[in-house]
Amino acid sequence: MQGLSLKQNQQQNLSPQQIQYIKLLQIPTAELAARIEEELEDNPALEEGLDHNEEQEPRETLDDLEREEMEVGDYLQDDYAGYKMAGDSYDPNEETRERPLATESSTQEYLLNQIRYVVRTEREEILAQQIIGSLEEDGYLRRNIESIVNDLAFTQGFETDYDEVEQVLFKVQSLDPAGIAARTLQECLSLQLHRRESDAPAHLMAIRLVDDFFEEFSKKHFSILLTKLAITEEELKKAMQVITHLNPKPGGGDDAPIAPYLQPDFIITNQNGKLEIKINGKNAPELRVSRAFQEMLQTYDKGDKQQKDIKEAVTFIKHKLDSASWFISAIQQRQGTLMKTMESIVARQYDFFLTGDESVLKPMKMKEIAAMIEMDISTVSRVVSAKSVQADFGIYPLKYFFSEGITHESGEDFSTREVKNILREIIEQEPSSEPHSDEDLEQLLLERGFVVKRRTVAKYRDQLGIPVARLRKHL
């Protein structure tokens, strides 16, 4: 006889409102206006414009969004809040305001816009453009490197070799979206996993599965994996869930276009030595809940609620008013989270935003910012994703400011970016007839107070696109 048992467990589910907030948080400013336009078209209870007879502060709180049912009377208040982009460079004296739709660009255009953040020379830029031009629609580089070398030689008279193209390829693979320019599915998944900052056991195990046991994983030899990795079925299941949430086609397609950087999401200006931060929401319209819909609901409330058509009408109006209120609250919450995150980044990198000097950039991780704003690291990751900031000396993707740190023998922390710059400087000054090996570079960095292992030196050199010593000889 089959026995019965009771089991109690806890499960966290996101409400539709939380999901909406998360989606709004992740999209860049370039898409926000278009997303608002979509909501205005879908929901007649949501209107563009600001009613000056209404209160300017929202009556609804985030807790209010948790309610499952509201009485009709709740919809008949006069204090429904309007929404306006606070601190968004909005000028009420402007007579006209263009609202360009956020057009979608191809994957290639999106990548080309990012090149200048990773290449250092005109030669690298030419190679990066050739690599990006060779990508297929799904974002993979299936054309072998030898063919790219030959293409450059025959079509442009540009002489290069396998190693130089591969070094630039690694730089292209560091662009967004993660996994782009991968040559195989394994490399695509590996790039995405290594891009994420996580020390969760499931994430670390997912890296091992992809990097070291991909053949067994792809062939679903789970019993072999359990034995080789010495893990439980539950641990394997969690690692597989991490992998299945990755994007196997980073190039996207018609159903998943990539948004370009049409405009910076933040604007930072130096006002006599004091930094001023604004969210660039100039092209996003003000929103309010329709007073006409509230009055319509009041009219129906006076009717016979037992009639089916009146009951259905009241349900429809209540649903639309709820949706409008939730959408306004989600955008308000988005703006607040964006501002808190950017303020924390600026506080950490204040000297850089004052001077534009890369040497003063400090090491910074997403979990540090998450701790500063008292939010989860996933929230910071969504804020940083596909967003940029305009300073007095240029536009930078937010990811530019995140890097690991190395402690100098003096006790001071330096960004890995600064260590790379020092490494480049050492190599540029080396004798061309006797270039430094990685072991030599390790020792030279140690003499400057940086304890960096040879393997790390090789990694930094690769990321800088600098070939090994034997290939630098007589250059």
Side-chain angles (χ1 to χ4, degrees), residues 205-422:
M205 184 56 63
I207 291 176
R208 289 197 64 191
L209 283 174
V210 171
D211 288 354
D212 303 326
F213 299 96
F214 187 74
E215 183 176 357
E216 293 88 341
F217 170 73
S218 60
K219 293 181 179 179
K220 300 182 179 181
H221 293 167
F222 301 136
S223 59
I224 297 177
L225 290 172
L226 292 173
T227 302
K228 288 186 176 182
L229 294 170
I231 57 176
T232 65
E233 290 186 8
E234 184 64 24
E235 290 172 326
L236 178 61
K237 182 179 179 181
K238 289 181 179 179
M240 290 174 60
Q241 287 176 343
V242 172
I243 296 173
T244 54
H245 281 81
L246 301 176
N247 183 6
K249 295 182 179 181
D254 294 336
D255 297 329
I258 298 176
Y261 289 123
L262 292 184
Q263 55 185 344
D265 300 85
F266 303 91
I267 299 174
I268 298 180
T269 54
N270 187 342
Q271 301 290 345
N272 299 319
K274 183 179 180 181
L275 296 177
E276 181 178 315
I277 306 171
K278 292 183 179 180
I279 295 178
N280 186 17
K282 180 178 179 180
N283 294 311
E286 303 90 11
L287 298 176
R288 67 182 180 192
V289 176
S290 170
R291 185 170 294 277
F293 253 62
Q294 297 176 58
E295 294 172 352
M296 189 186 308
L297 184 59
Q298 189 173 16
T299 301
Y300 277 113
D301 187 43
K302 295 177 181 178
D304 185 359
K305 299 185 182 64
Q306 301 303 318
Q307 293 185 24
K308 182 179 179 181
D309 56 344
I310 293 180
K311 186 176 181 179
E312 290 178 351
V314 169
T315 301
F316 172 79
I317 296 173
K318 284 171 61 177
H319 172 70
K320 291 301 181 182
L321 286 172
D322 261 339
S323 297
S325 178
W326 287 334
F327 187 75
I328 291 173
S329 295
I331 294 184
Q332 290 173 330
Q333 192 179 359
R334 172 191 187 270
Q335 302 302 92
T337 302
L338 288 179
M339 182 59 77
K340 285 176 63 177
T341 305
M342 193 68 236
E343 287 174 345
S344 299
I345 293 174
V346 171
R348 183 76 174 132
Q349 307 290 2
Y350 201 86
D351 291 339
F352 172 81
F353 285 106
L354 277 178
T355 64
D357 184 0
E358 291 187 1
S359 65
V360 300
L361 279 171
K362 298 178 180 178
M364 184 174 69
K365 297 182 180 180
M366 289 187 185
K367 61 182 178 182
E368 295 177 33
I369 301 300
M372 292 174 68
I373 65 175
E374 298 181 343
M375 291 185 177
D376 191 83
I377 189 173
S378 62
T379 301
V380 177
S381 178
R382 290 186 177 95
V383 171
V384 170
S385 176
K387 295 185 182 67
S388 59
V389 56
Q390 177 181 310
D392 292 339
F393 33 80
I395 299 177
Y396 297 84
L398 291 191
K399 287 186 178 180
Y400 176 80
F401 302 104
F402 292 87
S403 65
E404 299 288 336
I406 291 179
T407 302
H408 191 267
E409 62 180 9
S410 64
E412 184 179 358
D413 287 336
F414 282 81
S415 166
T416 54
R417 187 177 289 108
E418 176 63 13
V419 178
K420 290 177 185 177
N421 289 336
I422 295 173

Side-chain angles (χ1 to χ4, degrees), residues 27-248:
I27 65 174
T29 294
E31 287 188 351
L32 182 60
R35 175 66 185 88
I36 291 175
E37 291 290 348
E38 289 179 11
E39 195 70 20
L40 285 168
E41 291 178 4
D42 293 341
N43 189 352
L46 186 67
E47 293 182 347
E48 181 179 350
L50 192 62
D51 189 341
H52 296 288
N53 294 323
E54 298 176 10
E55 293 184 9
Q56 300 300 307
E57 294 298 325
R59 177 176 66 87
E60 305 291 351
T61 65
L62 202 56
D63 292 337
D64 294 329
L65 301 181
E66 302 296 332
R67 63 182 184 273
E68 294 183 0
E69 185 175 356
M70 295 178 66
E71 297 296 330
V72 172
D74 293 333
Y75 293 88
L76 306 181
Q77 305 297 323
D78 292 330
D79 58 352
Y80 261 97
Y83 159 72
K84 181 178 177 299
M85 304 282 282
D88 61 356
S89 304
Y90 172 76
D91 184 358
N93 296 319
E94 284 184 331
E95 295 183 1
T96 60
R97 179 185 60 188
E98 295 182 0
R99 185 179 303 134
L101 292 178
T103 57
E104 296 167 356
S105 70
S106 68
T107 304
Q108 289 189 5
E109 291 172 343
Y110 179 59
L111 293 170
L112 290 172
N113 287 336
Q114 301 177 65
I115 282 181
R116 67 186 185 91
Y117 298 116
V118 296
V119 300
R120 305 291 299 188
T121 65
E122 182 180 351
R123 187 176 178 85
E124 287 186 352
E125 184 174 359
I126 293 173
L127 291 174
Q129 291 173 347
Q130 186 70 23
I131 291 171
I132 292 172
S134 301
L135 299 181
E136 298 189 7
E137 290 185 1
D138 56 5
Y140 283 82
L141 180 67
R142 294 189 175 89
R143 189 167 179 78
N144 60 55
I145 292 180
E146 290 87 351
S147 298
I148 294 177
V149 172
N150 292 334
D151 289 344
L152 286 165
F154 293 134
T155 62
Q156 301 184 38
F158 187 96
E159 296 296 331
T160 183
D161 56 29
Y162 185 99
D163 291 326
E164 186 179 17
V165 174
E166 187 175 48
Q167 294 304 323
V168 176
L169 172 60
F170 294 150
K171 293 191 175 187
V172 173
Q173 290 177 342
S174 71
L175 303 177
D176 286 331
I180 200 70
R183 288 163 284 187
T184 63
L185 175 60
Q186 180 182 12
E187 187 176 34
C188 177
L189 300 178
S190 180
L191 287 168
Q192 294 179 59
L193 287 169
H194 285 284
R195 181 82 66 90
R196 298 182 179 181
E197 290 187 6
S198 174
D199 53 3
H203 183 83
L204 298 176
M205 184 56 63
I207 291 176
R208 289 197 64 191
L209 283 174
V210 171
D211 288 354
D212 303 326
F213 299 96
F214 187 74
E215 183 176 357
E216 293 88 341
F217 170 73
S218 60
K219 293 181 179 179
K220 300 182 179 181
H221 293 167
F222 301 136
S223 59
I224 297 177
L225 290 172
L226 292 173
T227 302
K228 288 186 176 182
L229 294 170
I231 57 176
T232 65
E233 290 186 8
E234 184 64 24
E235 290 172 326
L236 178 61
K237 182 179 179 181
K238 289 181 179 179
M240 290 174 60
Q241 287 176 343
V242 172
I243 296 173
T244 54
H245 281 81
L246 301 176
N247 183 6

